[in-house]
């Protein structure tokens, strides 16, 4: 511009070179930019997000074209994403190929891809690890022999075009899997921007098993809150060791602590500002404190439950109930 240059030509070209990629079959990461392909047009750019702001920069050098879109609402990410595809569909339309009929044995052949996958970009050491569960997607095979992915309840169908590569049915996206050292399916990533790989989870880490387990634990704890006081009243005239009474009180207190900690925490997590900006409210602090206290009490309850079994406190049914509460 006016005789001044920021980058040398070779530097600008090098910035469009692929730095790394999930797979040679999918768009990769460049030097600060992301590679993408819109209706056959190779593009370079990057997205940006905060809680309330979502943007996308896309440059298509071959067409001397640049596109920038920004949305200033917390719910604007879908609009930002849909705009890019709508823009290229409008100005550079490319008809989708006719869908081929899946082969007859595709259901059995695709079974190796099914399961639950969770995002790799999560914390592994604190409460925000729950994103692994919330952000999980399920992959299954439908009756027609297509792979079906459900992300937040929204299904998309995929047709296999290569051993580990799938094309979206009635859509432009691409889905690529990756195997581990044993040849088993371990990860997948999707276009147009392969930013976060999805990692295959063990069956018990799936949404359904986790929700069932959480529900069972919640039911046991609530029943303990109701049952232990009733049992204490009914057995008030029965002579029992003081350790027996203390163990029952400990089980009830532990259940009370966790039963109050969960809803308090869930309610307080509704305001993401307090989490993102590191200024947790009193309610969040109370919820987390209750869980720390509840964990300490649960450890003590484990020891007390062991003593109850060794000394034969209560009947068998009573010790089993105490153990269930301890496990929950």
């Amino acid at each position: 511009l006016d005789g001044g240059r920021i980058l040398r030509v070779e530097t600008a070209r090098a910035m469009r070179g692929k730095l790394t990629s999930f797979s040679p079959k999918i768009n990769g990461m460049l030097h600060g930019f992301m590679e993408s392909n819109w209706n056959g047009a190779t593009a370079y750019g990057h997205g940006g997000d905060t809680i309330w702001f979502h943007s996308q920069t896309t440059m298509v050098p071959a067409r001397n074209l640049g596109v920038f879109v920004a949305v200033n609402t917390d719910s604007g990410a879908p609009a930002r994403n849909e705009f890019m595809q709508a823009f290229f569909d409008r100005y550079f339309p490319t008809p989708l190929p006719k869908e081929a009929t899946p082969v007859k044995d595709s259901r059995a052949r695709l079974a190796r891809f099914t399961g639950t996958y969770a995002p790799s970009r999560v914390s592994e050491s604190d409460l925000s690890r729950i994103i692994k569960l919330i952000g999980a997607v399920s992959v299954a095979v439908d009756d027609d022999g297509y792979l079906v992915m459900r992300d937040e309840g929204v299904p998309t169908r995929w047709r296999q075009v290569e051993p580990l590569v799938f094309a979206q049915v009635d859509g432009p996206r691409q889905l690529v899997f990756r195997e581990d050292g044993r040849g088993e399916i371990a990860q997948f990533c999707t276009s147009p921007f392969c930013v976060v790989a999805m990692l295959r989870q063990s069956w018990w880490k799936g949404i359904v098993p986790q929700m069932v387990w959480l529900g069972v634990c919640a039911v046991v704890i609530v029943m303990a809150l109701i049952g232990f006081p009733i049992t204490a009243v009914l057995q008030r005239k029965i002579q029992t060791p003081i350790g027996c009474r203390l163990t029952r009180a400990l089980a009830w207190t532990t259940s009370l602590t966790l039963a109050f900690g969960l809803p308090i925490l869930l309610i307080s997590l509704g305001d993401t500002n307090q989490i993102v900006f590191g200024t947790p409210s009193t309610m969040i602090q109370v919820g987390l404190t209750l869980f720390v206290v509840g964990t300490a009490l649960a450890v003590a309850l484990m020891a007390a439950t062991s003593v109850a079994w060794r000394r034969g406190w209560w009947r068998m049914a009573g010790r089993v109930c105490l153990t269930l509460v301890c496990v929950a």
Side-chain angles (χ1 to χ4, degrees):
L1 177 65
D2 296 332
R5 176 179 292 277
I6 297 175
L7 298 175
R8 292 179 298 175
V9 173
E10 54 268 34
T11 303
R13 288 174 178 165
M15 290 182 67
R16 297 202 294 269
K18 188 178 295 188
L19 184 63
T20 184
S21 180
F22 178 84
S23 165
K25 301 292 184 179
I26 200 168
N27 298 325
M29 303 297 293
L30 315 180
H31 295 76
F33 294 122
M34 301 175 187
E35 181 184 33
S36 60
N37 187 290
W38 298 95
N39 293 2
T42 299
Y44 313 96
H46 206 100
D49 299 272
T50 67
I51 298 176
W52 315 275
F53 207 96
H54 306 277
S55 63
Q56 178 67 45
T57 297
T58 298
M59 295 166 285
V60 188
R63 298 184 181 274
N64 197 30
L65 170 69
V67 181
F68 175 76
V69 58
V71 184
N72 62 343
T73 64
D74 59 351
S75 58
R80 181 267 314 268
N81 298 340
E82 292 169 8
F83 171 83
M84 297 306 299
Q85 187 63 56
F87 178 90
F88 283 92
D89 285 346
R90 169 66 177 82
Y91 293 105
F92 308 103
T94 301
L96 294 173
K98 184 179 180 180
E99 288 296 335
T101 304
V103 295
K104 293 182 179 180
D105 65 340
S106 58
R107 291 197 66 188
R109 186 163 39 81
L110 297 180
R112 65 192 297 253
F113 298 100
T114 61
T116 298
Y117 296 78
S120 57
R121 191 170 66 181
V122 296
S123 169
E124 293 287 354
S125 59
D126 62 23
L127 180 67
S128 61
R129 187 182 182 184
I130 197 173
I131 294 175
K132 230 177 183 178
L133 183 63
I134 298 173
V137 301
S138 62
V139 177
V141 181
D142 66 8
D143 294 335
D144 296 326
Y146 291 109
L147 211 61
V148 179
M149 183 194 306
R150 292 188 178 275
D151 186 359
E152 297 183 354
V154 179
T156 52
R157 297 202 304 168
W158 305 83
R159 169 176 47 84
Q160 190 169 21
V161 293
E162 293 184 36
L164 297 175
V165 182
F166 291 76
Q168 183 181 4
V169 175
D170 298 325
R173 296 171 63 197
Q174 195 175 34
L175 169 66
V176 177
F177 288 88
R178 198 156 63 181
E179 298 174 327
D180 60 17
R182 296 173 297 177
E184 297 178 356
I185 299 300
Q187 307 169 5
F188 78 74
C189 207
T190 59
S191 66
F193 303 111
C194 177
V195 179
V196 180
M198 302 295 288
L199 310 181
R200 194 173 191 176
Q201 304 295 297
S202 303
W203 70 267
W204 55 271
K205 291 183 180 180
I207 297 175
V208 173
Q210 289 287 311
M211 290 297 102
V212 169
W213 173 238
L214 178 62
V216 169
C217 291
V219 169
V220 171
I221 289 175
V222 170
M223 291 179 66
L225 287 176
I226 300 172
F228 281 127
I230 294 176
T231 303
V233 172
L234 294 177
Q235 298 179 356
R236 65 185 183 279
K237 295 181 179 180
I238 301 176
Q239 292 296 325
T240 55
I242 186 171
C244 179
R245 296 194 296 272
L246 289 176
T247 297
R248 183 162 53 200
L250 176 60
W252 186 82
T253 304
T254 305
S255 300
L256 180 69
T257 303
L258 295 175
F260 272 88
L262 180 60
I264 289 176
L265 201 58
L266 292 178
I267 293 172
S268 61
L269 290 177
D271 187 355
T272 51
N273 296 344
Q274 301 172 31
I275 303 167
V276 173
F277 296 108
T279 55
S281 66
T282 301
M283 184 173 288
I284 288 183
Q285 294 174 345
V286 169
L288 291 175
T289 300
L290 286 174
F291 265 95
V292 172
V293 172
T295 301
L297 292 175
V299 172
L301 183 60
M302 291 179 190
T305 301
S306 176
V307 174
W309 278 99
R310 289 201 310 270
R311 297 188 178 181
W313 291 341
W314 305 293
R315 297 175 181 175
M316 175 66 72
R319 294 195 296 272
V320 169
C321 289
L322 181 65
T323 303
L324 288 175
V325 173
C326 188
V327 171

